Amino acid sequence: MSKYTYLLGGAVALAMLPTVAFAACDANERVVKFSHVTAVKGHPKGEMVAALAERFDEKFDGTMCMEVFPNSTLFNDDKVLEALILGDVQLAAPDVGKFDAFTDRLQVFNLPFLFQDTQAVQKFTESDAGQSLLTSMEDSGITGVTWIYNGMRQFSANKPLIAPSDASGLRFRATTSDVTEAMISSLGATPQALAFSEVYGALQTGVVDGQENTWSNIYTGKFYEVQDGITETNHQFLTYLMVTSPEFLDSLGEDRQAFLDLVADVAAEYNARANEQNAAARQAILDGGGTIRELTAEQRQKWVDVMKPVWSRFEDNIGKDVIEAAIASNK
Ligand code: SIN
């Protein structure tokens, strides 16, 4: 039987105490570790992973048990893939922009203004081209298990951003995605790669002037508290790839399919709620005193005109077939 307790460590964890409990494993159970970087409550990935752990423990009670480490309490996204390859964790779900060291093909998700909404991302991830990306890193010891959806990213800064030129000269936090770095540079701004756990502090101390993320990340990370405002650019869809190692999947033996089916069920259920969670986070930012600036169609088009040309630099590496399938999913 599962016993629930908190698995926390370090200052970050204490500052962002989750309200969801995770199972403590019995001594005779095989421990499966899932490391991720976001909050739990109100977050599409955090809540999905918490639900997965609970159902995993019910399903494999007595043989296996999942321990979840949210809020970068075990590994940051820049370390977790190495840890997964070494077998120090069995599951992770980084932002697709964090796999550049292993494949160029996942960069398709970061091309600015490619996907118009969650439905398009779903259509693409369920297509043959999308499914083929799950195995694009197997030579490196990483295999995709399922997609987890968050939502559209928005720009924020320590000054109002209406025209793209307002971002010129500013320093923005970037993930380690080459596409994201190019996109920020296209604004005449400077990208600075930082782990997700470092963003709040970097904004607060002025190490960076701005960032770009989803409503749920901006709200749960409290970024809106240390920014002048957020501009509703909807420029990129944040998707996660839940990954494991081929060794872990093989080690499951006859439980392998049951595990994959469970992951697929929980992901489908929680992906269907991601839009709602981001809308709630957007409202919570307003309720919490944050400023949100909406753009007219003409104003937003100027951001498209400046940032979309970065596509041409990445098309060959991503593959035209993948990009075309992604574009077609908007229809
Ligand atoms: C995450 O949502 O997992 C983090 C995204 C980021 O690093 O911007």
Side-chain angles (χ1 to χ4, degrees):
M1 210 178 62
S2 298
K3 300 171 294 298
Y4 290 89
T5 186
Y6 291 106
L7 292 172
L8 292 166
V12 176
L14 290 172
M16 303 176 82
L17 188 70
T19 57
V20 177
F22 301 117
C25 300
D26 291 334
N28 60 333
E29 290 176 318
R30 177 182 184 188
V31 177
V32 174
K33 292 186 181 171
F34 197 135
S35 171
H36 72 88
V37 301
T38 68
V40 177
K41 191 169 162 37
H43 194 282
K45 176 166 64 179
E47 292 198 0
M48 185 269 168
V49 175
L52 176 66
E54 198 168 335
R55 294 192 208 167
F56 183 91
D57 292 349
E58 281 162 17
K59 192 164 197 69
F60 300 108
D61 187 27
T63 55
M64 291 195 287
C65 164
M66 191 177 290
E67 286 184 353
V68 181
F69 298 86
N71 286 318
S72 310
T73 45
L74 192 58
F75 292 108
N76 261 329
D77 274 342
D78 58 346
K79 294 281 182 307
V80 76
L81 294 174
E82 196 183 313
L84 187 122
I85 292 167
L86 293 173
D88 293 337
V89 294
Q90 287 68 46
L91 291 162
D95 161 2
V96 285
K98 295 177 183 172
F99 291 96
D100 277 18
F102 302 98
T103 178
D104 290 329
R105 291 169 78 78
L106 287 172
Q107 291 178 347
V108 66
F109 289 94
N110 287 75
L111 295 176
F113 302 104
L114 196 170
F115 291 112
Q116 64 194 21
D117 54 26
T118 311
Q119 286 66 37
V121 175
Q122 181 171 0
K123 205 164 156 192
F124 174 67
T125 53
E126 289 173 356
S127 71
D128 289 346
Q131 288 294 305
S132 75
L133 298 179
L134 294 174
T135 50
S136 58
M137 297 176 288
E138 288 203 336
D139 289 350
S140 305
I142 298 171
T143 191
V145 180
T146 195
W147 305 97
I148 304 175
Y149 308 149
N150 189 321
M152 288 289 181
R153 287 185 184 263
Q154 324 294 342
F155 270 96
S156 72
N158 54 13
K159 58 173 269 201
L161 300 174
I162 299 298
S165 56
D166 295 329
S168 179
L170 301 186
R171 184 174 289 273
F172 285 88
R173 179 266 174 164
T175 63
T176 48
S177 156
D178 288 346
V179 176
T180 295
E181 290 196 0
M183 179 186 83
I184 290 171
S185 298
S186 75
L187 295 167
T190 305
Q192 174 149 346
L194 289 173
F196 186 66
S197 59
E198 296 172 314
V199 179
Y200 180 88
L203 293 171
Q204 189 182 36
T205 56
V207 168
V208 291
D209 302 297
Q211 62 85 50
E212 43 95 51
N213 227 308
T214 62
W215 295 120
S216 54
N217 274 342
I218 293 170
Y219 178 64
T220 58
K222 301 188 191 305
F223 303 158
Y224 68 100
E225 292 181 357
V226 285
Q227 292 281 263
D228 170 81
I230 305 138
T231 303
E232 195 155 29
T233 44
N234 286 324
H235 60 277
Q236 214 185 53
F237 191 92
L238 171 52
T239 313
Y240 304 109
L241 181 55
M242 188 191 294
V243 286
T244 185
S245 65
E247 288 75 23
F248 173 71
L249 281 186
D250 290 345
S251 75
L252 292 177
E254 60 187 21
D255 288 330
R256 179 189 177 116
Q257 198 52 48
F259 167 71
L260 292 173
D261 290 346
L262 176 68
V263 167
D265 285 352
V266 179
E269 187 182 323
Y270 279 79
N271 281 344
R273 298 170 44 182
N275 281 348
E276 200 184 298
Q277 287 172 309
N278 275 295
R282 185 186 189 282
Q283 186 57 47
I285 290 169
L286 290 172
D287 295 344
T291 300
I292 295 176
R293 298 189 174 90
E294 294 177 15
L295 297 175
T296 64
E298 294 74 28
Q299 286 168 334
R300 184 167 180 269
Q301 186 57 44
K302 293 202 167 91
W303 291 78
V304 177
D305 293 344
V306 170
M307 297 201 286
K308 205 167 163 182
V310 306
W311 286 30
S312 60
R313 287 171 46 191
F314 298 94
E315 274 165 0
D316 288 346
N317 288 352
I318 295 171
K320 287 214 165 58
D321 54 329
V322 176
I323 297 176
E324 276 163 19
I327 294 169
S329 67
N330 283 318
K331 294 183 190 121

